[in-house]
C-alpha cells in the first residue's frame, strides 16, 4: 500500500479549489474533498478534479441505516473516488453494507476507511451525551477492530493512535492521520500534532494535511516538503 500525502482541500467553491490546484503543474497530489466543498460544488467537482489526474479521498463520513448507506456508497463509487469513509459507530452491519455498495461491476472498489470517535469528542462528552463509560482510547480501538471485522481497509486516527491501531488490527490495516504540522510551523487549532517525518516514523500510511499547505505562501513547495519528509 503506497504511503502518500493527502491535501485537505477545505475550500467552499469550485473557483477556489481549481485555482489552488492549478499551481500543481508537476506531481498531482492526492486530494481530500470534504462536506463543505462537496455540498457547495456538487458531485461534478469530484469528476473534474479526477479528470485532472488527482486521486480523491471523499470525506463525507456516512452514517445511516445499512440499506441507505449501501445505496449511497454505490453512487459514490460511480464517481470513481479512490477512498471514502463512514462512522464506525453505525455498526458492523452498516459497514458491511457499505462495502457491498462500493463494489463495482469490474470487482474494484474505493478504499473504505472508518472514523472512530471524532477527536472533537472528549471523554466527558462521550460519557454524558453518548452514555459510553469506557476510556476513549479503548472505544477508539474497539471501533477500529469492528471496522477490521467488517472488512474495511483502515481508520482515520490521530498519528498518536497509529501504532496501537496497527498492533491491534495488523500492519496492512491503513491509518490515515490528520493533525500534521511542520516543526517550524503554526499549529492553529490542532492540539496534538506531529511532523510529517514523525508520522512516517510511527507508521502512518497516509497523512492528511490542510492549512500547512493550503495557507502556505508557496503551497507547491510546502507539499513537496511534506512528500520529502513523509514519502521519499
Ligand atoms: O488544516 P488542517 O491540516 O488542520 O486540516 C486537517 C484536515 O483533517 C481537515 O480537513 C480536518 O477536518 C480533518 N480532520 C482532522 N482531525 C480529525 C479528522 C479529520 O483534522 N480527527
Amino acid at each position: 500500500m503506497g504511503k502518500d500525502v493527502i491535501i485537505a482541500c477545505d475550500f467552499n467553491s469550485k473557483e477556489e479549489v481549481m485555482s489552488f490546484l492549478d499551481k500543481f503543474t508537476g506531481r498531482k497530489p492526492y486530494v481530500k474533498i470534504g462536506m463543505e466543498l462537496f455540498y457547495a460544488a456538487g458531485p461534478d467537482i469530484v469528476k473534474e478534479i479526477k479528470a485532472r489526474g488527482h486521486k480523491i479521498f471523499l470525506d463525507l463520513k456516512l452514517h445511516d441505516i445499512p440499506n441507505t448507506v449501501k445505496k449511497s456508497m454505490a453512487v459514490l463509487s460511480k464517481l470513481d473516488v479512490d477512498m471514502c469513509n463512514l462512522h464506525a459507530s453505525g455498526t458492523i452491519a452498516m459497514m458491511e453494507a457499505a462495502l457491498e455498495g462500493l463494489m463495482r461491476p469490474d470487482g474494484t472498489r474505493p478504499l473504505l476507511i472508518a472514523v472512530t470517535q471524532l477527536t472533537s469528542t472528549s471523554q466527558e462528552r462521550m460519557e454524558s451525551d453518548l452514555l459510553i463509560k469506557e476510556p476513549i482510547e479503548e472505544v477508539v480501538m474497539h471501533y477500529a477492530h469492528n471496522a477490521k471485522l467488517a472488512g474495511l481497509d483502515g481508520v482515520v486516527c490521530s498519528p498518536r493512535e497509529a501504532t496501537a491501531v496497527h498492533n491491534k488490527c495488523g500492519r496492512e490495516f491503513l491509518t490515515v492521520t490528520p493533525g500534521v504540522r511542520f516543526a517550524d510551523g503554526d499549529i492553529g487549532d490542532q492540539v496534538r500534532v506531529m511532523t510529517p517525518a514523525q508520522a512516517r516514523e510511527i507508521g502512518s500510511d497516509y497523512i492528511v494535511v490542510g492549512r500547512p499547505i493550503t495557507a502556505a505562501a508557496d503551497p507547491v513547495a510546502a507539499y513537496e516538503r511534506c512528500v520529502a519528509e513523509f514519502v521519499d
Side-chain angles (χ1 to χ4, degrees), residues 13-177:
S13 72
K14 177 178 165 179
E15 293 67 35
E16 271 184 88
V17 71
M18 290 310 190
S19 78
F20 172 74
L21 293 176
D22 280 344
K23 301 181 203 299
F24 293 84
T25 51
R27 182 178 176 135
K28 299 286 180 192
Y30 209 129
V31 162
K32 178 169 90 75
I33 298 177
M35 287 188 244
E36 183 185 13
L37 181 60
F38 189 79
Y39 295 148
D44 284 349
I45 194 77
V46 174
K47 293 182 194 160
E48 287 182 42
I49 294 176
K50 188 81 196 178
R52 287 171 167 231
H54 298 271
K55 284 189 157 185
I56 294 184
F57 170 20
L58 189 57
D59 178 18
L60 298 182
K61 301 186 179 70
L62 275 69
H63 188 174
D64 208 316
I65 60 171
N67 185 53
T68 300
V69 170
K70 178 178 172 179
K71 291 198 288 187
S72 304
M73 285 296 188
V75 175
L76 299 185
S77 188
K78 286 200 196 95
L79 291 177
D80 203 20
V81 298
D82 298 280
M83 187 188 295
C84 53
N85 63 358
L86 45 60
H87 277 281
S89 55
T91 75
I92 292 176
M94 189 200 79
M95 290 191 270
E96 288 172 342
L99 274 180
E100 282 176 35
L102 281 180
M103 197 59 77
R104 301 184 181 112
D106 66 0
T108 66
R109 65 165 175 80
L111 293 172
L112 183 60
I113 305 292
V115 175
T116 57
Q117 280 291 344
L118 291 170
T119 45
S120 51
T121 306
S122 64
Q123 179 77 37
E124 197 179 40
R125 285 282 166 207
M126 197 180 66
E127 290 183 16
S128 65
D129 297 6
L130 308 180
L131 284 184
I132 299 173
K133 306 292 182 193
E134 285 73 16
I136 197 158
E137 299 77 19
E138 269 180 41
V139 177
V140 167
M141 287 307 145
H142 182 66
Y143 285 13
H145 191 240
N146 283 352
K148 166 93 180 169
L149 290 178
L152 268 66
D153 303 292
V155 287
V156 181
C157 64
S158 137
R160 283 161 207 278
E161 295 158 357
T163 305
V165 168
H166 282 138
N167 289 344
K168 180 142 183 107
C169 301
R171 188 62 198 85
E172 296 306 304
F173 195 67
L174 301 173
T175 53
V176 179
T177 61

Side-chain angles (χ1 to χ4, degrees), residues 8 10 32 119 156 178-181 189-190 208-212:
D10 295 322
K32 178 169 90 75
T119 45
V156 181
V180 173
R181 292 293 179 266
D189 55 359
Q190 296 281 12
V208 176
V209 188
R211 289 158 292 178

Side-chain angles (χ1 to χ4, degrees), residues 193-204:
V193 298
M194 272 195 191
T195 65
Q198 287 167 330
R200 174 196 177 120
E201 279 296 299
I202 53 90
S204 289

